[in-house]
Amino acid sequence: MVRIVGILVGLGFVGALLISLVSGLITYISEPAVETAEHAFHLHPKEVHFASDGPTGHFDRQQLQRGFKVYREVCSACHSMRLVAFRDLEALGYSEAEVKAIATQWPVPSPSINPDTGEAATRPSVPADRIPPPYPNEVASRAANNNALPPDLSLISKSRHGGAAYIYSLLTGYRDPATYRNEEGEALPAESQPGQGLHFNPYFANLNIAMAPPLTSTGQVTYADGTTSTVDQMARDVSAFLVWTAEPKLESRHSTGIAVMIFLLIFTGLAWMAYRNIWAGVKH
């Protein structure tokens, strides 16, 4: 009896799946998807290459330091980086003294109270501290950004399709919606025009983004190595830096992978020669 009931229940599940499949096919054929403005005007990330690309990719320390400078002087005004500690910056080529100097520029809340004002006191950060966020909580962050929540940038290159290429494209992709035309020469329809507090960017998923263009002019950031800080250069540098924040062990992972592949090739060769040696005198 139990077996019969089990068979009937299984047949019921199979029947429901078949009905769902047939219903979906009928809907797909009879009601084709309508292309929206997001599909018609959205652009895929630009083709851009970084030193960290590919199985043998590595980090350009000078570029990472430039990218950190862009984050510190531009992006950190709105975006947090909660997973990166100041001492991690030594991997970018900074000395211990330089890391300490960088940390002191970021004050963090102190558990003590200022005896003169009665307000919460602050203290300079130390290398063991993580980079503090620009706002104390989400409410304050939204209040300062027209109710939009700036995402944390620690893992942004991993959490967005296209990674560093997407970040670079977004930073350099702001356009004037009044004059923008897609590949077919079509103008942006009125319903897709950015509303108040929004900015048109065809690389953003729904075309309109709350973040104003953060990189606006050459010389916005002064690089210590003398590199000219054009908008394109700053976008490349901060994109490369955000690859490092998301995967700081990328180089060791690549070197380990190459070593493993070499070992497997050698092991395969030895196994094949052992097989030939052991079975050489055996007739089939």
Side-chain angles (χ1 to χ4, degrees):
M1 185 64 180
V2 176
R3 181 177 297 176
I4 295 174
V5 172
I7 292 174
L8 292 175
V9 171
L11 289 174
F13 277 117
V14 172
L17 289 173
L18 287 175
I19 292 172
S20 177
L21 177 62
V22 172
S23 175
L25 287 174
I26 292 173
T27 302
Y28 178 78
I29 294 172
S30 61
E31 300 178 14
V34 178
E35 188 179 68
T36 62
E38 284 80 3
H39 289 91
F41 291 89
H42 178 69
L43 297 178
H44 294 291
K46 301 175 184 178
E47 183 126 355
V48 58
H49 300 286
F50 295 91
S52 56
D53 292 343
T56 59
H58 62 282
F59 289 125
D60 179 345
R61 263 59 184 179
Q62 287 295 321
Q63 184 176 45
L64 295 185
Q65 289 188 20
R66 294 196 302 267
F68 172 64
K69 190 172 180 63
V70 174
Y71 168 76
R72 180 172 61 179
E73 297 187 11
V74 180
C75 310
S76 65
C78 299
H79 294 275
S80 59
M81 193 166 285
R82 300 177 184 275
L83 301 182
V84 179
F86 289 105
R87 61 188 173 192
D88 297 333
L89 298 177
E90 291 188 25
L92 274 57
Y94 291 112
S95 65
E96 184 178 346
E98 289 174 323
V99 169
K100 289 181 179 179
I102 291 171
T104 58
Q105 298 173 14
W106 259 289
V108 293
S110 171
S112 61
I113 301 296
N114 188 321
D116 298 325
T117 63
E119 298 178 351
T122 60
R123 63 168 178 80
S125 295
V126 297
D129 288 322
R130 294 187 178 184
I131 297 177
Y135 306 105
N137 54 37
E138 180 178 332
V139 175
S141 179
R142 289 186 181 276
N145 292 278
N146 196 27
N147 203 38
L149 181 64
D152 182 86
L153 297 183
S154 305
L155 303 175
I156 197 73
S157 69
K158 287 292 185 182
S159 61
R160 297 295 187 271
H161 178 69
Y166 165 76
I167 298 169
Y168 167 80
S169 301
L170 188 73
L171 292 174
T172 58
Y174 288 87
R175 300 289 185 271
D176 180 0
T179 59
Y180 182 75
R181 299 291 185 272
N182 65 6
E183 294 179 351
E184 285 71 35
E186 300 171 327
L188 192 69
E191 62 270 16
S192 297
Q193 294 283 339
Q196 184 177 4
L198 297 177
H199 307 270
F200 178 69
N201 192 317
Y203 295 97
F204 192 62
N206 66 359
L207 306 180
N208 299 314
I209 185 172
M211 180 176 69
L215 306 176
T216 57
S217 60
T218 298
Q220 187 174 351
V221 172
T222 302
Y223 287 142
D225 62 1
T227 300
T228 302
S229 57
T230 62
V231 170
D232 182 85
Q233 185 67 55
M234 290 186 288
R236 287 176 182 271
D237 293 340
V238 76
S239 299
F241 171 68
L242 293 175
V243 171
W244 172 81
T245 62
E247 196 171 5
K249 302 298 183 183
L250 177 140
E251 290 175 320
S252 61
R253 179 172 63 81
H254 283 179
S255 60
T256 300
I258 292 173
V260 168
M261 292 301 298
I262 293 173
F263 167 78
L264 290 176
L265 287 173
I266 294 175
F267 178 80
T268 301
L270 292 174
W272 181 79
M273 288 188 289
Y275 165 80
R276 297 285 297 176
N277 183 56
I278 293 172
W279 294 98
V282 177
K283 295 181 180 180
H284 297 284

